[in-house]
Amino acid sequence: MPPLLKLHAWKLAGLLLLANLGLLAHLIAGSIKPTSEWDWTDILGEGGSALLVLLWIGLLLKSRPAGRVTNLLFCGLACLFFSLWMDSVDEFVQLPASVHWDKWLESGPMPVGFILMTLGIYHWHREQLAISAQMEKRERLFREHRLFDKLTPLGTADYLRLQVQQALQQGRAEGQPLSLVILDLNGFDRLNREHGHAEGDLVLQSLTQLLLLNLRRQDLLCRLAGDRFVALLPGTGAQQAQQIAGELQDAVRHLAYRSSRNGERLYLSAGVASVLAQDEDGDSLLRRLNLALARAKQTPAAKRA
């Protein structure tokens, strides 16, 4: 079984259990119809639709990580599959006229499934808008600069310096504040040693998407080096930048990342710091940002001592 499907094995097992319970209920309450009464048009239509929905579920769980959007889409598709499955079973099993619960099993899950799928698609749409907004910054200047990271869809340190300098000039001209937030993953070297560099790359890619989803449309995220990221926050004061830095740190801590090899949970954490731009150039601002991160990462160690 592919690694991502292993992570969702309990979902598949639960769906299989419900499908078998529904079939068992029909067999206990009714009797098998003779083949002469089978309606092959309904069997092929309803059974084929159920198999297609089951295929959609497999593709969904294989391609998406665990999370709210995946759960909503899965539950919605599971309801559709169960409804179609019960319709298919009804073509083979004759129930007494006194039995009415089969209609609920056939029709009830369908509207619930469509509602859950609609919610899942809505949140998936919001994810894509957030990611696309950041990707627009890359696509606009990709051919001109080619200063983008090969592993993640982010600008490199050189690209960040260019953007910081431009943002400083624009902020002074418009009288708007500019802040930077830096995030550094804790224990990334150990993660590479224990799980391999390929797993480390997957962590950085997942972390990139997570950070993009927790930033605003006008913000710019770049990969400074290794496991260190910088967010450029135009029009943002010191207090709001600190709040955003704390939210990014919390997002990393709550990320339910599972290793691709055996699906074990890897607990991640990060150090963060933020600075408000002053009357300085881009290099000075970035040096001050790195010093702020070093002080922030020393503070917890001092408290433990």
Side-chain angles (χ1 to χ4, degrees):
M1 182 182 293
L4 278 176
L5 284 181
K6 289 182 180 179
L7 303 182
H8 301 286
W10 66 270
K11 295 185 178 75
L12 296 172
L15 180 58
L16 181 62
L17 176 62
L18 287 176
N20 281 289
L21 287 176
L23 173 60
L24 184 62
H26 277 73
L27 293 175
I28 292 174
S31 57
I32 302 295
K33 292 180 180 180
T35 55
S36 59
E37 296 183 12
W38 290 4
D39 188 334
W40 285 103
T41 302
D42 286 345
I43 291 173
L44 293 175
E46 296 164 358
S49 298
L51 290 176
L52 283 176
V53 173
L54 197 59
L55 176 62
W56 296 349
I57 290 174
L59 293 174
L60 169 73
L61 298 183
K62 183 179 178 181
S63 60
R64 279 194 61 90
R68 177 177 61 173
V69 175
T70 301
N71 291 337
L72 285 171
L73 292 174
F74 169 79
C75 291
L77 289 172
C79 288
L80 297 185
F81 168 77
F82 185 79
S83 184
L84 291 167
W85 170 248
M86 290 295 95
D87 277 341
S88 302
V89 170
D90 190 54
E91 300 300 323
F92 299 97
V93 180
Q94 181 67 51
L95 294 174
S98 58
V99 172
H100 301 289
W101 48 259
D102 62 313
K103 301 302 179 184
W104 287 98
L105 293 182
E106 294 173 11
S107 304
M110 186 72 72
V112 175
F114 278 117
I115 291 173
L116 292 173
M117 284 187 62
T118 301
L119 290 173
I121 291 172
Y122 169 74
H123 289 293
W124 172 80
H125 175 66
R126 288 175 61 89
E127 280 187 356
Q128 295 307 307
L129 286 179
I131 293 173
S132 296
Q134 294 294 326
M135 289 294 289
E136 286 175 4
K137 299 182 176 70
R138 174 184 179 178
E139 296 300 329
R140 283 199 302 266
L141 299 173
F142 180 77
R143 292 183 177 87
E144 179 180 353
H145 296 298
R146 298 194 179 274
L147 297 175
F148 293 89
D149 185 44
K150 295 180 180 179
L151 180 65
T152 64
L154 302 177
T156 62
D158 290 335
Y159 180 70
L160 174 64
R161 293 185 182 94
L162 289 173
Q163 295 303 309
V164 168
Q165 197 60 43
Q166 293 178 12
L168 284 170
Q169 295 173 1
Q170 183 176 355
R172 294 189 189 106
E174 298 177 357
Q176 293 293 322
L178 172 70
S179 292
L180 298 182
V181 168
I182 188 168
L183 181 142
D184 183 65
L185 202 60
N186 295 326
F188 187 66
D189 290 339
R190 177 177 53 81
L191 187 149
N192 277 329
R193 289 195 304 271
E194 294 179 358
H195 299 276
H197 288 278
E199 191 70 54
D201 290 345
L202 292 176
V203 169
L204 292 178
Q205 290 170 346
S206 297
L207 184 63
T208 296
Q209 301 300 325
L210 176 72
L211 298 178
L212 289 175
L213 291 172
N214 283 274
L215 289 172
R216 305 164 301 179
R217 184 179 180 86
Q218 69 268 27
D219 300 333
L220 175 67
L221 182 68
C222 293
R223 185 183 178 196
L224 185 61
D227 58 333
R228 187 166 292 191
F229 299 83
V230 173
L232 189 152
L233 313 177
T236 304
Q239 184 174 357
Q240 189 177 11
Q242 290 175 3
Q243 179 182 349
I244 292 175
E247 291 171 352
L248 294 177
Q249 189 176 39
D250 290 340
V252 173
R253 186 169 62 251
H254 292 106
L255 175 62
Y257 181 85
R258 304 278 180 177
S259 71
S260 59
R261 181 177 302 174
N262 52 25
E264 67 175 304
R265 170 77 181 273
L266 300 184
Y267 292 91
L268 306 176
S269 64
V272 297
S274 63
V275 295
L276 176 68
Q278 300 173 356
D279 188 13
E280 56 193 333
D281 59 23
D283 289 339
S284 299
L285 178 58
L286 289 172
R287 281 196 298 270
R288 191 155 58 86
L289 181 65
N290 280 295
L291 289 174
L293 176 65
R295 288 194 297 269
K297 298 191 77 168
Q298 288 173 358
T299 301
K303 289 181 178 179
R304 287 194 298 268

